[in-house]
Amino acid sequence: MLLDAASLYFRAFYGVPESITGPDGTPVNAIRGFTDMVARLITDRRPTRLVACLDLDWRPAFRVQALPSYKAHRVPGEPEVAPAGLPEIVPDTLEPQIPVLLEVLAAAGIATAGAEGYEADDVIGTLAAAERTDPVIAVSGDRDLMQIVRDEPVPVRLLYVGRGLAKAEHLGPIEVAAKYGVPVGRAGDAYAEMAMLRGDPSDGLPGVPGIGAKTAATLVGRFDTWDELRAAVIDKTDARLSPPVRTKLAAAAPYLAVVEPVVRVAVDAPVQLDRPDTLPGEPADLERLAALGDRWGVGSSVERLCTALLKNAR
């Protein structure tokens, strides 16, 4: 199980009231919500290995160099000139909770992983691509990770929690294909290509003007690769593109030439784990975990996590 940690703790922060505070009045809603989510995922899914994947750079330089608008609207100040590497806008009451979350994971003995210069999506994509033994399930509210689903050499699935854990969707190639109208045989790649064409305002991706989600899905269904589609824009004899669509794609040629590495999740990021990813049968440091529970007033959440680890080991 590969957790998109930031995706989960942001959802915990907004899903649990800030009135949930520690003994000193400090909000601990993200700590409590995140810890409870991890405990529930372990209880419900019973993974043997688990990694919480971190954003060491939420706006990597290689993506910004390719497309300066990438996530620019999320940076304080002047978005059009914002460099890579600045911290994402994080609510003031969430920021101090993040180190505590990481302390809870460490005391529990749950592995974390990151890659310098890469996002958590890339960490997940790299670990999933390298796996040859166990089925993989990624947990995130980020639709971009739909591109990693596959059946071979091991099944890779996405537990999409965009509407919350209670309404989570378990997505593989069949589900992604049905949901977006892309070919099931290459659903992950096709989803990424559809996203390139339609764009994504939340990530600062303009897309191709005049090409919506349905047209984008139809287009990627006609081609076996992204390069093949781009070649058809130039080859006016290729009947798979109508003249009006070819005109729209040709007008967006500079964007199409650079967008692929921006949208594609990396599968070769230099991932570093802080410990082996085997999920422990009991907390690595029970005393420290209990102290964190007492210090921040999240003892019940810590107990639920401990119980989940113990039950999972049976």
Side-chain angles (χ1 to χ4, degrees), residues 63-216:
R63 289 193 168 104
V64 176
Q65 288 167 4
L67 194 68
S69 65
Y70 181 65
K71 293 186 178 179
H73 60 294
R74 303 189 194 181
V75 180
E78 300 294 331
E80 65 272 14
V81 297
L86 288 178
E88 186 171 11
I89 300 172
V90 178
D92 290 342
T93 50
L94 169 59
E95 189 170 5
Q97 297 187 61
I98 297 172
V100 182
L101 292 171
L102 298 180
E103 283 191 76
V104 169
L105 290 172
I110 294 173
T112 60
E116 292 295 337
Y118 290 85
E119 301 177 60
D121 284 5
D122 301 310
V123 177
I124 291 171
T126 297
L127 293 175
E131 185 58 38
R132 294 294 183 273
T133 305
D134 295 325
V136 176
I137 183 166
V139 184
S140 177
D142 188 343
R143 292 181 301 174
D144 291 342
L145 281 167
M146 291 184 190
Q147 66 183 274
I148 72 170
V149 300
R150 67 169 195 253
D151 287 328
E152 300 292 342
V154 297
V156 177
R157 302 292 185 257
L158 173 65
L159 190 67
Y160 178 66
V161 295
R163 296 188 301 157
L165 196 55
K167 298 180 179 179
E169 299 175 74
H170 190 271
L171 304 175
I174 292 174
E175 291 78 15
V176 170
K179 193 177 183 71
Y180 293 100
V182 296
V184 67
R186 60 184 206 95
D189 284 339
Y191 177 84
E193 293 161 16
M194 183 190 73
M196 296 179 214
L197 292 172
R198 76 175 181 197
D200 186 346
S202 69
D203 279 342
L205 299 175
V208 177
I211 301 294
K214 288 185 178 179
T215 301

Side-chain angles (χ1 to χ4, degrees), residues 18 52 66 80 100 117 127 137 147-148 212 216 229 234 243 250 262 265 272 282 301:
E18 282 193 65
E80 65 272 14
V100 182
L127 293 175
I137 183 166
Q147 66 183 274
I148 72 170
L229 188 156
I234 300 170
V262 179
V265 170
Q272 297 290 326
E282 59 184 24
S301 295

Side-chain angles (χ1 to χ4, degrees), residues 183 186 190 193 197 216-233 238-242 245-246 249:
R186 60 184 206 95
E193 293 161 16
L197 292 172
T218 299
L219 287 174
V220 301
R222 293 175 182 168
F223 299 90
D224 292 330
T225 66
W226 179 247
D227 288 341
E228 188 179 309
L229 188 156
R230 288 188 59 208
V233 178
D238 194 322
R240 289 174 291 182
L241 293 181
S242 68
V245 168
R246 179 175 282 110
L249 295 174

Side-chain angles (χ1 to χ4, degrees), residues 18-29 32 293-298:
E18 282 193 65
S19 57
I20 303 297
T21 61
D24 62 357
T26 302
V28 295
N29 52 327
R32 175 170 290 187
D294 291 341
R295 164 68 180 85
W296 298 103
V298 292

